[in-house]
Amino acid sequence: EDQVTQSPEALRLQEGESSSLNCSYTVSGLRGLFWYRQDPGKGPEFLFTLYSAGEEKEKERLKATLTKKESFLHITAPKPEDSATYLCAVHLSNDYKLSFGAGTTVTVRA
Amino acid sequence: DAEITQSPRHKITETGRQVTLACHQTWNHNNMFWYRQDLGHGLRLIHYSYGVQDTNKGEVSDGYSVSRSNTEDLPLTLESAASSQTSVYFCASGANTGELFFGEGSRLTVL
C-alpha cells in the first residue's frame, strides 16, 4: 500500500535555528513529490515539485531535496513568518491525484 | 486572476440533512478534487474528476457524492450528514502536472 509519512509531527524553533523536516514514502511509480505550506484557516499553498532523486529546489529560506525513499525540507535561519504546517504529497505515475502526509507543524519563536 | 472559490466557508447542520458544498474554479483545469482534513489524518481524498461527466471515488467516499456538468464546478453533496463528517473540506484543481491549487476551505459542523 502506498504511504507517505512525515516527521516530526511538530517542531518548535527559535528564530535563526535551522532544522529539517522529513517526508518518507513507500510508493511505486513516483511521478513527483510536492511540498505545500498551510497557514491556519487557509488552504495549502504550493511550494515545490521534485521529480527525481538528487534534485533540489530553493525558495527564500526553504530548500527541498529528494532521494529514492524520502524528501527533506530544510529551513535555514527561520523567521516567525515561517511558522506554518508543511505538507508533502506524492504524485503517482498512473494518476493525477496527490496523496498527502499528515504534515509537520512548525512554530518559530522570536 | 484565476482562482478557486468554495462556499459556504462555514456551515452548521443537523444529522440526517443533505448538504452541498460548492467549488468553482476559473483556471480552466480539467482535474478537480475534494479532500477533507482532520487532526491526525492530514488531507484525505473524497472524490475527484478528470473532466466533464467524469467522477471517481477516493479513499473516504462513503456518504459523499459529486457531479461534474461543466469544467468550472464540482459540488460535493453529503446525502445524509453524520457527525463523523464534521471536518474542514478543501476543493482543489490542477492540470496533469500534479500541482494543485486549493480553495480556502469549508468548515462543516454536523450536530
Side-chain angles (χ1 to χ4, degrees):
Chain A
E1 182 181 325
D2 298 333
Q3 280 199 325
V4 182
T5 304
Q6 291 188 247
S7 62
E9 289 185 16
L11 191 59
R12 294 176 64 86
L13 301 171
Q14 199 67 32
E15 184 172 5
E17 178 189 1
S18 301
S19 189
S20 296
L21 286 55
N22 178 264
C23 172
S24 63
Y25 58 93
T26 54
V27 300
S28 55
L30 181 73
R31 193 171 182 176
L33 187 139
F34 295 75
W35 283 97
Y36 283 80
R37 171 192 169 122
Q38 186 176 23
D39 293 305
K42 301 285 188 180
E45 180 181 339
F46 170 76
L47 290 173
F48 304 110
T49 310
L50 301 166
Y51 293 104
S52 57
E55 189 175 0
E56 298 183 353
K57 293 274 181 74
E58 284 190 65
K59 181 179 181 179
E60 296 181 358
R61 294 174 293 282
L62 301 177
K63 184 168 87 171
T65 62
L66 182 66
T67 71
K68 288 186 178 180
K69 294 293 185 185
E70 58 192 348
S71 177
F72 292 94
L73 184 65
H74 308 278
I75 309 178
T76 301
K79 298 182 177 182
E81 53 262 42
D82 295 321
S83 297
T85 296
Y86 292 88
L87 302 166
C88 79
V90 295
H91 180 205
L92 303 181
S93 60
N94 62 348
D95 219 325
Y96 301 123
K97 59 185 185 285
L98 296 185
S99 295
F100 283 84
T104 295
T105 299
V106 175
T107 304
V108 182
R109 295 166 291 174
Chain B
D1 284 349
E3 61 180 1
I4 179 165
T5 55
Q6 295 183 229
S7 62
R9 294 292 314 279
H10 301 272
K11 185 169 182 67
I12 300 174
T13 191
E14 296 177 342
T15 302
R17 299 261 181 145
Q18 184 181 79
V19 176
T20 296
L21 305 179
C23 176
H24 179 81
Q25 55 101 359
T26 59
W27 291 95
N28 199 34
H29 288 147
N30 284 329
N31 306 331
M32 295 185 72
F33 307 83
W34 274 104
Y35 288 87
R36 61 177 288 175
Q37 188 172 41
D38 305 285
L39 278 174
H41 288 281
L43 287 162
R44 292 183 290 174
L45 185 62
I46 306 171
H47 279 287
Y48 57 102
S49 168
Y50 291 152
V52 176
Q53 302 301 330
D54 176 72
T55 61
N56 306 278
K57 294 181 179 180
E59 61 181 304
V60 289
S61 60
D62 287 349
Y64 304 94
S65 64
V66 294
S67 61
R68 187 91 179 271
S69 59
N70 58 51
T71 299
E72 296 79 20
D73 299 289
L74 187 71
L76 177 71
T77 297
L78 287 68
E79 303 293 345
S80 177
S83 57
S84 60
Q85 294 176 309
T86 292
S87 186
V88 181
Y89 292 86
F90 287 99
C91 180
S93 72
N96 294 347
T97 57
E99 178 184 340
L100 298 186
F101 296 84
F102 283 84
E104 295 287 89
S106 295
R107 182 176 294 276
L108 177 66
T109 302
V110 182
L111 302 176

